[in-house]
Amino acid sequence: MTFSTTRRGALTLFGAGMTAATLGGEAEAATVLEGIRRRGFIRIAIANEVPYGFMNADGQAHGIAPDVAKHVLGEIGIHRQQWVVTPFGSLIPGLKARRFDMVAASQNVLPARCTQVAFSAINSSYGEGLLVKAGNPHGIHGYDWFLKHRDKKLALVSGADELRFAHAVGIHDSQIVNLSANADALSAVADGRVAAYAATGLTVARLARHSKAVEPAAPFTQPMVDGHSVRSYGAFSFRKNETSLLTAFDKALDAYKKTDAWAHTLMKYGLTKQDVEAARQMTTADRCKA
């Protein structure tokens, strides 16, 4: 009897072990979504960058990504959010370290990032720009200007895509000035510490509205990477093993993207019809293998 009971227990443990080995990842992922629902709220990170994801004067999160996230999360039964502001360069490390459950900062989907996190369906698309001193005294109209003026500095936010674009064009690291936040660009450009600040076109345009001492470089030539003009595609990011959360989110997001309400949300923050259509057509899979 003792042997039989022990053997039966051993078989049960063996079977449990097989189940854990085979289904453990799926069970863990499902637990994450249900755990968030039971908790009653989800922790979401933003980089406090207008218009992609920012906190307003009342301490409320808004922007292209937060506004869409609120709707989509409501559709999957998560109605409360706890918003976490962190530097752009800390978004992925913070997500992997479990300091928050997802990121809503319109991060550009890139192959290198796809190896670290799981991206949702594409939610936005946008081009690049340069912030320069009012009147554009240096006559800067693109990244390639810095190739002819090796003594001049180009500022960008640490961890942002613009560093990759600068390297692709051929700008030296000695010319790069890293800023912790895009708001720091106003004084850096106005005071002449840098010749220009590189960011997305939307960020540059909005920064210029805050100061008469700066303006967007116009006309502007998009930087070229591997022979192609740059266009970014933003999405939400999740931890790789939490597939049930991502799957539920993507299902609701895909449905929302078919509505006029989704397009209106993006366009009220300055995206164009061309940007909206580009976001509808691009897939995350294509961006991850680009």
Side-chain angles (χ1 to χ4, degrees), residues 130 136 139-142 216-222:
L130 288 175
N136 198 0
I140 302 173
H141 297 288
F220 176 74
T221 301
Q222 294 289 328

Side-chain angles (χ1 to χ4, degrees), residues 138 145-146 149-154 171 174-176 195:
H138 295 301
W145 181 87
F146 289 88
H149 303 85
R150 293 293 187 181
D151 60 325
K152 300 300 182 181
K153 303 292 185 180
L154 173 67
I171 298 174
S174 61
Q175 294 177 267
I176 302 296

Side-chain angles (χ1 to χ4, degrees), residues 27-42:
E28 179 183 359
T31 300
V32 169
L33 178 56
E34 292 308 316
I36 290 172
R37 285 171 172 160
R38 287 194 299 269
R39 184 206 299 160
F41 67 91
I42 186 170

